[in-house]
Amino acid sequence: MRARVLVRPKQGILDPQGQAVQRALPALGFTGVDNVHIGRMIELDVEDPSQLPEMCERLLANPLIEDYEIVESIAEPAHS
Amino acid sequence: MRARVLVRPKQGILDPQGQAVQRALPALGFTGVDNVHIGRMIELDVEDPSQLPEMCERLLANPLIEDYEIVESIAEPAHS
Amino acid sequence: MSATRSSASAKYRELGLTDHEYELIVDHLGREPNDVELAMLSLMWSEHCAYKHSKRLLRRLPTEGPHVLMGPGENAGAVDVGDGLAIAFKVESHNHPSAVEPFQGAATGVGGILRDVFAIGARPIAVLDSLRFGEPEASERSRYLLSQAVAGIGHYGNSIGVPTVGGEIYFEQSYEQNCLVNAMCLGLAPRARLIRAAAAGPGNVVVLLGALTGRDGIGGASVLASAELGEGDEAKRPSVQIGDPFSEKKLLECCLELLDRGLLTSLQDLGAAGLTSAVSEMASKGEVGIDIDLCRIPLREPGMEPFEIMVSESQERMLCVVAPECVGALLDVCERWEVLATPIGSVTTGDRLRVLQRGAAVADLPVKILVDDCPLYDLEPEPPEQPLYRPPTAVLNGTESAERVLLTLLRSANIASRRPVFEQYDPVVQSRTVRRPDEADAAVLALPGGAAIAVSIDGNGRRVACDPRRGAAEAVYECAANLACVGAEPLGLTNCLNFGNPEKPHVAWQLTEAVTGLAEACEQLGVPVVGGNVSLYNEAPTGPIFPTPVVGIVGRLPDAARAGRLAFGQEGDAIALVGPFDPSSAGSELAKLQGRAAAGKLPPIDPDAVAQAHRDVRDGVRSGALRSAHDIAEGGIAVALAECCIAGSIGATVTLPDGIDPFAEALGQGFIVSGPAEALAEMTVIGRVGGSALTIEDQLALAVSELRDARELGLSKLV
Amino acid sequence: MKFGVIRFPGSCDEVDALQAAARVGEAVLLWHADRDLQDVDAVIVPGGFSYGDYLRAGAIARFAPVMDEVAEFAREGGLVLGICNGFQVLCEAHLLPGALLPNDSLKFVFRQVVLEVVNADTAFTGACQEGERLSIPVKHTTGRFYAPDDELDRLEASGQVVLRYAPGHNPNGSRRDIAGVRNKRGNVFGLMPHPEHAVDLLTGSTDGLKIFESMRAYVGDPVLG
Ligand SMILES: Nc1ncnc2c1ncn2[C@@H]1O[C@H](COP(=O)(O)OP(=O)(O)O)[C@@H](O)[C@H]1O
Ligand SMILES: [Mg+2]
C-alpha cells in the first residue's frame, strides 16, 4: 500500500521557514496569505501499515518538535 | 481558506533523502518498506485560492525538479 | 513556617528554591512574592544564573593582565590586540538542551555565544566547539548525539557566516548520559566600539530587538501556569528552542550598525532567564531601575501569561538602552535590516525592576534581590576513597606489537582524524583564516595590518579525573602549547567548568582542585582569565561525568605569514624534541585502550621549564627557524610523530631518548619540531625527516600511507 | 572596471567577494531592496544563505527588487557571476540552466577541491588554459547540479559547461561532475566553488583570482570570449 506521512512543526514551536515565506509573498504580489507553515511529506510503499505510527515516532518525525499525520492508501506510487 | 501544497521530487531525480530513510528502516526493524520519497509540505491560509497554482509555479515549487499538488480547504488551521 | 508560606512551598520547591532561600526572599521583600516575581526569582537564583556553588571558587582565578580590556562580569571578555583593535571571546555550555534535542540544542548554543560576543560590540569572527559523548562504537545514542550536534553547530555557524575554525571531541563512557556541548566565539572590534551592558540615564528608552517572544524554553517555571495543562493545551507546554540563524544574522548586522552610528547607550543579549536576566543585569550594572510594559512585548503566541513572557528563552533577541532622541534613527536602521524593534520600557531613577501590565505592576522587585542577594554556598570537598569511574572495556591486552598499538591508537575515536566533523563546518568565510583545521595546532586568523591571532580550545576529562589539579593545569599548558606551535603568545583565557553535582563532596573536591590547578597554571604562564561559564549537575544515576574544565586561549603573533604548521615539510630536515617531557602511562589513551581505569597521579609539571619550552618553540616559529612544530598530546610521542608525517605526506626516522615510552603522555610540555639541522643545533635532535615510512628505532616502522588510512578511518563510520 | 556585489539578507560571502573583486578593479555593494545597479560593469551574486535558504536555496532571493535589474542587465549582455548561493539564485531566476539539489551526502561539505577548466574561451575563464586545474574551496549543502540528460548534452555541446570537478573531487554528486555553467549567450556564469576564497596565498590558493581577472580582461576588451 502506498502511504503518505505529513510532518509539521508542533504548534507553539518556532517555524522560521514558514515565517520567511510568509514575509516574502506580498512582495511577489500574493496578498491575503497568512499563517504559513512548512513541513515535510514522506511517501512510501508499506506492506504493514500498522507499523506506520511507530515509524513516525522513531524515524520519520521528531516527536519533540514535530506533529505527524498518516494518510493511508493514497493513489498510485508517485514514482516507479 | 486553509490550503495545503505538497511538493515532491520529480520522477527519475535522485532522492538521497528518501534513500537514506529507506536504508535506515530495516535497522529499526521495519521491513517491507519500499519506494520512499521525501518532499515538502506547505500549509497556509489563503483568501483567494485561485492564486495557488501561480504561487506554486513561481515560488513554492521549482517545476524543473519538483511536482506539486494543491489540496484546497483542509481542516482547521493547524496553528493559531 | 506560616500557613500561607507552606501553601506556597509546593511551588517554590518545584521551582528549585530551598526553604532557606525562600525565607530569605520573603525577609528581603518583607512579603511573599507573587507568582510572576517567584518565576523571576527562581531563575535568577538558579545555579545557572547565580553561580551559587562556584562564584566563591572562581575568585581564585587571576583576572588581571596588561592586555585585558574587559574581564569576568561582562557578556564576554576582551583583550587588546594592538592597532586599536580588541578581541572579545567567551565559551559557554549548552549541555542539557543538547541532550534533549542535539541538533537544535547545539545550534542554539552557537547562537547564544554569538550574541554574548556581539553584545559587547564585537563582530563574531570565529567559532570553536568542544564536545563530549559516550563511546561511539558501543552506543548508537552517542553516534546520534554526535552527528546531530555537529550538524547543528555547522547549521548555525555556516548559515550566519561565522567560520568554525577549531574545536575538540572526546568520547568517554562517563558522558553517555550527559553529553557536553560547549561553544566558544571570538569577536573583533575597534576598541572604541566595545560597549558594556550597564543601563544608564533615567528617561532613556529600553528597546527589545529581534524575534517575537514565544513559549520557548520556559522549562520548570511552567508549573506556574494558572490553569492545569490538559489535552489540547500542547501550545502551553514549554517548548524546545529552534535556532534561526537567518534572524540572528540580521540582528547581528543591525546591532553593529546601531553601534557604529553611536545610537546605543548599552546593549545586552537575552539568554538564560530571558528578559528577566537581561533587564536585571542591565539595571544592576548601571545602578538604575527599569520599568517594563508587558503589553508592548510582541508575542508569537496568544494568551501568554506575564511570567511566561518574563522568563521566555526565545532565541535571537537583544535588549538595548537608547536616548529618547535616538529612537527614531534606531527604528530606521532596524527597519532596513528587517529587524523588529519595540520600545518596551524605560530606565528609572531608584533601584526597582517593575513589570507593568495596563498600568498595574505585576512584578515589583528591588534589582538587588534579583542579582545580588542569592546566597553563595561554600563547597564541602572530600577526595573519594575509591575510584569514581569504572574501567573502560579493553581493546588491547598489552601483548601487542608497537606497530599494532600505534595503528589502534590512530584509529581510536579520541585520536582519529576529525575530518568527518570539520568538513561540515565552513572555516574560511570572512577571509581571515590563515590556518585551518589539521594544518596547525591552533587556528590562525589574520588581523588587518599583517599580525594575526591564534586560538585553541582544550580539556582532557580523563586526565582531570585521574588528578584534578594537574589535569586542569595540563589543559592550560596544552592550550598554550598549541598557540606556541603557530608562534602565538597567549593574551587571555576563557573556560567552561563542566562538572557533576557540586553538593556531593567528591565532585566538590574535583571542582576545587581543578579550579586551583587552573589558577596556578594561569599564574605561572601569566595568562589572565577574562571570562567563562560553569555547567554543574552533569550527573547520571551511574555517577558524574569526568570533571571537564574546557580551556580556550587567544594569543597573538606579529606576522601572519610566519604562522607555524604541524606538517613535516622537507626531506632531510632534523627533528628535535623540545621541553621537559617526562610522560607516564597514567590517564593515557593507551591505558584506556588497555581497559585501565582513570586513576593514578599525572607526571609533575616543571612550570619554569615548560614556560621556557613554550617560548623556545614560539620564537623558533616566529623567526622562521622551525619548519614545523607540534605539541605532544594524546597517544604520546609516537602519535605526535605520526601526525607530523601524515600531514606532510613524508616519513621520518627517529631514536627516542632513553626511557621514553612512545605512547606515554604528559600534555602541553613536550614538542616535536623540525627544521634545517643548523637551526636545531641547540636542541635535542632525535631524528630526520624523509622517506615514506615512520621509523622509531627498536620500536616500529610503518608506511605513512598505512598511518593515514588508520587515522582517516577512525571516525568516518561514526559521524 | 567596476564590480557590484549584491547583499541580500542572509548573504555571508558578499564582503569576501567585494574584497576579491577589489583586487582587480573597483567594487561596491548593491543592496537587495535598491533598483540601482550604480553603473557597474559586472554583477556578482555572492555566496551565503540568502533568506536562510528557507523553502529552497535561492528561491526567495530571486524575487528581491535588485534581481529585476540584474535580469535586465543580463538581457543587455552585462556580466553576471553567481557564486554558490548566487549560482542557486541565478538558476531559480532562470538566468542559468539547471538546478541545484541537496548534496548526495545530505551534509554540508567544506573541501578544497580541484577543478578542471572545460571551456577557457569565456568571459569568466579567459585568463585560464583549457584543461587547467584550479584549487578552490567548496562549501555548501545544496550543490548537486542537475539538468535532464538532453539538456546536459546540449550544455556540453554548446560549451556552456565551463568548470568540472576533477576526477575524484565531485563533492556533492553533481551530474557529469559539473561545477560551473554559463548561459547560452555567455554573459552569465554560475559556479558552486568559491573563487573569492582563493585569492591570497596567506589564506589558501590564488587560483580563484583568475575568474576575476578574466572578467576584467573581458570588459576591457569585449572582443575576447
Ligand atoms: N569559569 C569561569 N571563569 C571565569 N569567569 C566566569 C566563569 N564562569 C562564568 N564567568 C563569568 O560570569 C559572568 C556570568 O556568566 P554567564 O551567566 O555565562 O554570562 P551570560 O549570562 O552573559 O552568558 C560572565 O561574565 C562570565 O564570563
Ligand atoms: Mg550574556
Side-chain angles (χ1 to χ4, degrees), chain D:
Chain D
M1 166 78 180
K2 183 175 175 186
F3 293 85
V5 182
I6 297 177
R7 167 178 272 174
F8 296 109
S11 292
C12 296
D13 302 85
E14 77 277 32
V15 175
D16 311 71
L18 189 80
Q19 292 167 349
R23 290 170 180 261
V24 305
E26 187 191 346
V28 295
L29 281 177
L30 304 174
W31 184 249
H32 64 99
D34 297 346
R35 293 184 172 274
D36 172 14
L37 293 190
Q38 302 179 33
D39 309 312
V40 297
D41 304 296
V43 171
I44 299 176
V45 191
F49 290 74
S50 58
Y51 299 90
D53 270 5
Y54 295 144
L55 188 66
R56 249 185 357 269
I60 299 177
R62 83 168 258 209
F63 292 107
V66 73
M67 287 305 294
D68 297 340
E69 306 311 308
V70 172
E72 183 56 33
F73 180 75
R75 258 193 300 282
E76 291 162 0
L79 292 192
V80 181
L81 169 65
I83 302 170
C84 193
N85 189 234
F87 187 11
Q88 296 158 343
V89 172
L90 294 176
C91 290
E92 284 281 340
H94 311 302
L95 291 171
L96 285 172
L100 293 143
L101 298 170
N103 301 345
D104 52 9
S105 69
L106 297 174
K107 289 182 181 147
F108 180 95
V109 59
F110 168 85
R111 197 174 293 160
Q112 191 81 20
V113 296
V114 175
L115 305 173
E116 276 173 8
V117 178
V118 180
N119 184 351
D121 183 19
T122 81
F124 305 88
T125 52
C128 310
Q129 307 301 316
E130 186 164 330
E132 182 176 350
R133 292 190 153 209
L134 308 176
S135 170
I136 294 180
V138 293
K139 48 189 190 90
H140 57 252
T141 313
T142 310
R144 177 170 42 119
F145 183 76
Y146 167 84
D149 282 304
D150 50 352
E151 175 79 354
L152 290 170
D153 297 339
R154 208 185 47 69
L155 292 176
E156 287 179 328
S158 59
Q160 286 179 252
V161 174
V162 178
L163 296 172
R164 269 190 227 281
Y165 301 106
H169 284 263
N170 185 337
N172 50 35
S174 288
R175 311 235 16 219
R176 304 190 191 179
D177 296 327
I178 292 172
V181 297
R182 66 170 183 175
N183 63 349
K184 215 190 246 89
R185 181 168 176 179
N187 63 312
V188 182
F189 172 52
L191 74 170
M192 285 316 294
H194 284 263
E196 80 280 24
H197 286 294
V199 296
D200 187 344
L201 279 181
L202 187 65
T203 51
S205 86
T206 55
D207 294 356
L209 210 47
K210 295 205 165 109
I211 304 292
F212 301 94
E213 283 164 345
S214 302
M215 293 171 74
R216 181 190 52 192
Y218 178 84
V219 169
D221 177 7
V223 201
L224 286 170

Side-chain angles (χ1 to χ4, degrees), chain C residues 364-387:
Chain C
D364 183 349
L365 296 168
V367 171
K368 186 165 167 303
I369 193 176
L370 287 156
V371 179
D372 303 321
D373 292 346
C374 175
L376 300 182
Y377 299 109
D378 284 315
L379 301 176
E380 286 148 19
E382 250 176 53
E385 283 81 29
Q386 64 274 64

